[in-house]
Amino acid sequence: MRTYERQLEGEEPSVAVQLEEQPSEPIPTLEDIAFDGSWKEVDRVEFNRMYHEKLRACKVGSDGCARNEGKLVLLAIGTFKSVLDGANQGEAIWSDSFMDSVHALGYSMLIPDNEEELYTMWREYHDQVELIVWNRVRDCQNLSADNTCVQSDPDIPLAPPNATHLNIPLWCVAQVTILCFASTARFGTEFNDTFVSHPHRKIFNLHFWNSPDHPYGSPFTLSPEDYSTWTPPAHGRDNYYLGYSLERTCTKVPYVAHPSRPRQAYVYAKYLRFFDEKNYILRNTTEDDSSEAFAKSNFFQDLSANANMTFVAKMHHNEGSSLDGPPRGIVELSNSMHNRTAFQYAVSNSRVLVGVGNPALSPTPWEALCLGVPFVNAILGWDGADPDDRSRWSAQQEGVLFLGVGEPFVYNVKIGDRLGLEAAIRKALDTPIDRFIPPQMKMTALIERTRKLVETDWRPVAREQLLRIAAERRV
């Protein structure tokens, strides 16, 4: 109870009035908002309806328009749709995480079902669009004159409703004109800001691999890993490092104390054919060229018996493999493991995650570390003259490699080194770790990179890239 002095009607000014303080609600942090995934528990139609209402209210100046709600991020890649369907492939996990960060910052989002719907959304909200994430942009390098990505007139800010060309001020448009319509392209100092129209309208592409994938090159290619840290320098070293965070989902899975876990190793192979490929961790080409022979070896069966442990796995079978099933000694789990939550619980109850060489760059090793499970990383290539030079290594998960994460969190094992693999598994079985999340994979870090992406004026970068490309084409 706090005492306030104020004058009441008909009383002397000195009257003291006691007012009961009401406990205030704690203000949620951006991280708290990002960690609430309930707003995505709807289908795409309901998801869009929710944001259409917010955008239209903001458009007419409603008092209920919260900060940033009137600003739109268009998510025009299929993986954003699959997020709402519960997909768990790497690209969907990345897209899911990005949506969390956009939501935390308060921006509105729409997910078009196809290009026609994207164009319809653009027509209605063109003055509210802050960012378009669209993998269609890569096609701008090979467009014909009737393609809808191309502006028909650079001085028309918006096409009429039934126009063939929409005049979306996408950064791809200027380059498209250079590549496909050189006779009307604007080179050098003739570059006109009206050509890209609005300063905060930009299109970027989500690209999982370590290379640029946008007509304007690396600055407009969003990457899941920080390729600038890789050695030797990766082709995508200048990509925009957006990254992702698994913190919201993996921290919801309880940490299992090491003594409570069975002596179990989860063998991570997304597809059965990964046991039958040249990158398979047990493959040693100096002994035999038959990859199938390695897949059918008794390594897992023998180690299970000798180390009193169990290997478990779940993979898709219908991907062109010549194998009937996983190697002997690996117990295949039920189909429920294709559900992400069931998969997380299976990994969290294991003592080590064993990579077999593929899939590359998967989020799963990071997820295992967040669950407190160490990872065996297959080293796929190295310098024969100096095999210990890590800067010359290539690996199944190069993100953990070039971040420098070592034992007891990550065990690096060269393919074909069966003794090394056995030693790593045995050591990991008996060496517990806590949850591990690198600083750059915290949700707060992702939110800040997303804020920078959306709020930066990318026109100077676009202009620089445009002039560089134009100069290169003159040579």
Side-chain angles (χ1 to χ4, degrees):
M1 185 83 69
R2 181 174 296 176
T3 299
Y4 296 88
E5 289 192 2
R6 66 180 178 85
Q7 184 176 357
L8 297 179
E9 185 177 357
E11 299 284 354
E12 295 298 325
S14 60
V15 173
V17 180
Q18 287 189 323
L19 300 176
E20 185 175 348
E21 274 192 9
Q22 297 297 322
S24 59
E25 290 287 334
I27 299 175
T29 65
L30 295 182
E31 187 179 35
D32 293 333
I33 298 171
F35 280 7
D36 173 23
S38 61
W39 57 282
K40 288 178 290 187
E41 295 173 358
V42 293
D43 61 22
R44 189 189 65 86
V45 173
E46 177 61 21
F47 180 91
N48 284 347
R49 186 200 62 76
M50 174 176 64
Y51 281 111
H52 275 304
E53 287 185 0
K54 293 180 179 182
L55 287 163
R56 289 163 182 163
C58 292
K59 198 178 184 78
V60 298
S62 169
D63 292 338
C65 182
R67 181 175 179 268
N68 287 338
E69 274 189 351
K71 300 176 181 178
L72 173 59
V73 175
L74 282 168
L75 305 175
I77 297 179
T79 51
F80 293 109
K81 291 189 290 184
S82 64
V83 166
L84 303 183
D85 296 331
N88 61 1
Q89 72 267 31
E91 291 83 356
I93 291 172
W94 183 19
S95 298
D96 185 25
S97 178
F98 177 60
M99 291 170 70
D100 288 337
S101 65
V102 173
H103 174 69
L105 292 166
Y107 297 109
S108 291
M109 289 171 273
L110 291 174
I111 303 177
D113 189 42
N114 49 46
E115 288 180 12
E116 182 178 354
E117 190 172 13
L118 169 63
Y119 301 157
T120 299
M121 291 173 177
W122 164 254
R123 287 189 177 102
E124 180 171 359
Y125 300 115
H126 64 278
D127 57 344
Q128 294 171 269
V129 174
E130 293 293 319
L131 178 72
I132 303 176
V133 183
W134 191 25
N135 58 1
R136 173 73 163 69
V137 65
R138 69 187 63 166
D139 297 335
C140 289
Q141 291 173 305
N142 300 294
L143 293 179
S144 58
D146 62 351
N147 196 289
T148 54
C149 181
V150 180
Q151 290 185 326
S152 57
D153 187 329
D155 297 317
I156 299 176
L158 181 67
N162 296 320
T164 303
H165 302 87
L166 295 177
N167 293 313
I168 299 177
L170 307 178
W171 296 126
C172 77
V173 172
Q175 179 173 344
V176 168
T177 308
I178 287 179
L179 293 178
C180 306
F181 307 103
S183 61
T184 59
R186 297 178 175 182
F187 294 97
T189 58
E190 294 178 358
F191 178 82
N192 189 327
D193 283 346
T194 63
F195 194 69
V196 290
S197 188
H198 306 285
H200 297 293
R201 309 291 158 68
K202 53 254 187 182
I203 176 169
F204 287 74
N205 183 28
L206 286 174
H207 183 56
F208 215 84
W209 310 110
N210 61 343
S211 60
D213 191 27
H214 189 288
Y216 264 31
S218 286
F220 295 87
T221 303
L222 307 178
S223 291
E225 301 277 358
D226 186 0
Y227 296 126
S228 68
T229 64
W230 290 26
T231 55
H235 295 298
R237 61 185 176 275
D238 295 323
N239 290 2
Y240 186 93
Y241 170 50
L242 177 62
Y244 56 93
S245 174
L246 301 167
E247 196 174 5
R248 175 179 68 83
T249 55
C250 72
T251 54
K252 289 182 178 179
V253 179
Y255 176 85
V256 180
H258 199 259
S260 300
R261 304 183 195 186
R263 289 181 61 80
Q264 172 178 295
Y266 196 104
V267 181
Y268 182 50
K270 186 176 181 180
Y271 298 113
L272 181 61
R273 60 182 169 83
F274 289 164
F275 294 104
D276 190 21
E277 294 187 345
K278 66 178 182 179
N279 285 344
Y280 179 44
I281 194 168
L282 290 180
R283 180 180 173 86
N284 187 338
T285 55
T286 62
E287 296 179 10
D288 191 340
D289 284 335
S290 171
S291 57
E292 187 174 345
F294 296 113
K296 293 183 176 179
S297 74
N298 292 327
F299 175 86
F300 296 103
Q301 186 178 58
D302 292 345
L303 185 54
S304 294
N306 296 334
N308 188 28
M309 63 170 298
T310 303
F311 289 98
V312 298
K314 182 59 188 174
M315 71 287 298
H316 297 281
H317 283 236
N318 56 346
E319 294 295 324
S321 173
S322 61
L323 303 175
D324 296 327
R328 289 185 290 272
I330 296 179
V331 178
E332 190 163 13
L333 301 176
S334 69
N335 287 332
S336 66
M337 289 302 104
H338 293 316
N339 173 278
R340 188 178 178 192
T341 301
F343 173 74
Q344 288 173 319
Y345 274 86
V347 173
S348 69
N349 279 277
S350 301
R351 296 193 177 195
V352 59
L353 179 77
V354 180
V356 300
N358 269 310
L361 281 184
S362 168
T364 296
W366 290 120
E367 192 155 44
L369 292 172
C370 181
L371 295 169
V373 178
F375 171 56
V376 175
N377 195 17
I379 303 303
L380 310 178
W382 53 90
D383 182 355
D386 188 2
D388 294 326
D389 180 2
R390 291 169 62 102
S391 69
R392 303 296 300 276
W393 286 3
S394 61
Q396 176 176 348
Q397 225 305 347
E398 297 190 329
V400 297
L401 172 66
F402 291 118
L403 188 61
V405 184
E407 297 182 16
F409 299 96
V410 176
Y411 298 83
N412 294 306
V413 176
K414 296 182 178 69
I415 59 171
D417 183 2
R418 302 182 194 187
L419 293 178
L421 178 59
E422 178 178 344
I425 293 171
R426 286 179 176 271
K427 188 172 183 180
L429 283 172
D430 296 319
T431 309
I433 64 170
D434 293 325
R435 293 185 188 270
F436 174 73
I437 306 174
Q440 68 269 33
M441 296 189 75
K442 292 279 190 176
M443 180 55 73
T444 51
L446 172 61
I447 289 171
E448 287 309 307
R449 291 192 297 268
T450 299
R451 186 200 305 274
K452 177 184 174 183
L453 172 66
V454 177
E455 297 182 0
T456 295
D457 180 357
W458 290 93
R459 272 193 308 176
V461 182
R463 180 185 295 108
E464 181 181 342
Q465 291 294 101
L466 169 67
L467 299 180
R468 178 187 61 80
I469 293 167
E472 290 175 354
R473 289 185 62 82
R474 290 197 198 97
V475 175

